[in-house]
Amino acid sequence: MKLIVQIPCYNEAETLPAVLADIPKEIPGVDSIEVQVIDDGSTDGTSEVARENGATYVLRNRGNKGLARSFQVGIDHALQAGADIIVNTDGDNQYSGLSIPDLVAPILRKEADIVVGDRKPGENAEFSTLKRLLQRFGTSVVRRLAGIDVTDAVSGFRAYTREAALTINVMTKFSYTTETLIHAGQTNLKIASVPVNVNPVERPSRLFTSMGGFLRKQATTILRSYTMYRPLSAFLTIGLVMLIIGTIPVLRFLFYYFTGDGEGRVQSLILGGVFILAGYITMIIALLSDAIATNRRLTEQVLSRMRELELRIDTNNRGNGST
């Protein structure tokens, strides 16, 4: 049983030594623990610090690609390295490495495919009142859309089984946290949450520069993921709303028309007709999108099996001494 702890980093040379030192060397039920650092084009010597402090693998992007891309690069490499469990943590030392055994425990007990570290953001005294409220609201939205029971949807402290990692295909450029949860919920992966310890925040997040920007990007990611994985529900809802809105002015016109006072109220008929037509077109789009989503799910299954087959072939070649 091999565990690989991956750490996406961007200019984290100052905090990375503490993160690496905090990773446990032994965990009951795990035979080996390796660490990989994904340097997202840092300019402060993050890669050199990672090597000096014992990272097993150091991957470096050519330029700053963003957190989501770095996360995907790490997942792909960890699978190639033979990881049975992959833990993702941050290079800013936000999450305590001492909680890694708690994070992987449900996977070792075969109770979960993905485990999310719960920072208890609604109770975290270091978060402002507004941030605590927004964290609760955002988590409730993701929980409802994905159909999963998770208590900290944007936590980046997570553990994945090899099987769950094989299904990951991050499309957003911003952050993988909400998209991967929505995807996991739609593919019926078992998700668990466990309380984890966090360290005091020493600097502002580099992922976003303002709360408004963070909310805008997260809302865009959630909306894109929802329409991607549940298009029938999304577009049918929009279409029905448009039909209802369009019906109201049409009924208003018909009422006045049959009572002999319809002259000059044709605007209501035109407005209602436009909304009804738009609703009808949107419902057609819903059916077409559902067909595309079905094809997407089949493609993802094929892609997952192809990745697994490629990894097996690569492992066999290394075992036979082939290149």
Side-chain angles (χ1 to χ4, degrees):
M1 179 68 70
K2 178 189 282 191
L3 165 65
I4 292 184
V5 180
Q6 71 168 31
I7 312 170
C9 294
Y10 178 61
N11 290 336
E12 303 290 4
E14 184 176 348
T15 56
L16 187 56
V19 176
L20 293 170
D22 215 19
I23 296 174
K25 302 299 186 291
E26 295 182 356
I27 297 176
V30 176
D31 299 310
S32 65
I33 301 174
E34 297 179 347
V35 180
Q36 69 175 17
V37 172
I38 305 96
D39 182 353
D40 191 21
S42 299
T43 58
D44 66 344
T46 291
S47 293
E48 289 72 19
V49 170
R51 294 188 184 94
E52 292 169 359
N53 286 269
T56 314
Y57 311 101
V58 178
L59 315 176
R60 181 173 172 82
N61 294 336
R62 295 180 180 177
N64 183 248
K65 306 295 184 182
L67 177 59
R69 174 60 180 164
S70 297
F71 171 80
Q72 185 71 64
V73 167
I75 290 292
D76 292 341
H77 184 269
L79 290 171
Q80 292 175 357
D84 298 294
I85 304 174
I86 303 172
V87 167
N88 186 87
T89 188
D90 287 350
D92 61 0
N93 201 30
Q94 174 186 177
Y95 306 109
S96 172
L98 299 177
S99 293
I100 291 178
D102 298 328
L103 205 62
V104 302
I107 291 179
L108 294 174
R109 295 194 300 265
K110 300 187 183 301
E111 296 175 354
D113 301 299
I114 300 174
V115 183
V116 181
D118 180 12
R119 301 166 295 173
K120 297 189 180 298
E123 304 171 8
N124 194 324
E126 291 194 7
F127 290 177
S128 65
T129 301
L130 176 60
K131 188 173 182 179
R132 289 199 297 268
L133 292 174
L134 291 175
Q135 288 277 13
R136 288 179 178 175
F137 175 73
T139 295
S140 65
V141 170
V142 173
R143 185 166 59 236
R144 184 168 302 178
L145 294 181
I148 58 176
D149 185 16
V150 64
T151 49
D152 189 0
V154 297
S155 170
F157 197 24
R158 302 180 178 186
Y160 299 84
T161 63
R162 182 177 182 84
E163 293 72 21
L166 281 167
T167 68
I168 293 176
N169 293 291
V170 180
M171 301 299 174
T172 180
K173 296 181 180 180
F174 173 56
S175 175
Y176 60 89
T177 53
T178 53
E179 180 181 346
T180 51
L181 284 181
I182 294 175
H183 173 264
Q186 298 309 308
T187 52
N188 296 319
L189 292 173
K190 177 64 176 177
I191 302 174
S193 293
V194 297
V196 294
N197 297 319
V198 294
N199 298 316
V201 178
E202 298 179 357
R203 60 161 177 79
S205 173
R206 293 196 179 103
L207 186 60
F208 56 93
T209 56
S210 66
M211 183 60 68
F214 174 76
L215 291 175
R216 184 174 62 256
K217 290 179 178 179
Q218 283 288 17
T220 301
T221 299
I222 292 173
L223 181 60
R224 181 187 294 118
S225 300
Y226 184 64
T227 55
M228 183 183 299
Y229 294 110
R230 299 183 64 180
L232 184 63
S233 174
F235 287 108
L236 272 181
T237 301
I238 296 173
L240 287 173
V241 170
M242 287 184 174
L243 287 175
I244 293 172
I245 293 175
T247 300
I248 295 173
V250 170
L251 291 177
R252 178 178 182 274
F253 169 79
L254 292 175
F255 171 79
Y256 284 110
Y257 178 81
F258 286 111
T259 57
D261 192 23
E263 186 177 353
R265 302 185 187 274
V266 71
Q267 296 91 339
S268 296
L269 182 62
I270 295 174
L271 178 63
V274 169
F275 272 98
I276 290 175
L277 179 61
Y280 172 76
I281 293 175
T282 303
M283 295 182 76
I284 296 298
I285 292 175
L287 298 176
L288 294 175
S289 298
D290 186 58
I292 294 173
T294 300
N295 184 67
R296 174 187 171 82
R297 286 191 291 270
L298 293 173
T299 302
E300 287 180 339
Q301 291 176 10
V302 172
L303 179 60
S304 176
R305 292 175 182 176
M306 287 181 61
R307 292 171 71 182
E308 184 177 9
L309 181 60
E310 289 174 353
L311 292 170
R312 287 181 181 178
I313 293 174
D314 185 56
T315 300
N316 291 335
N317 287 340
R318 288 200 303 267
N320 295 329
S322 303
T323 59

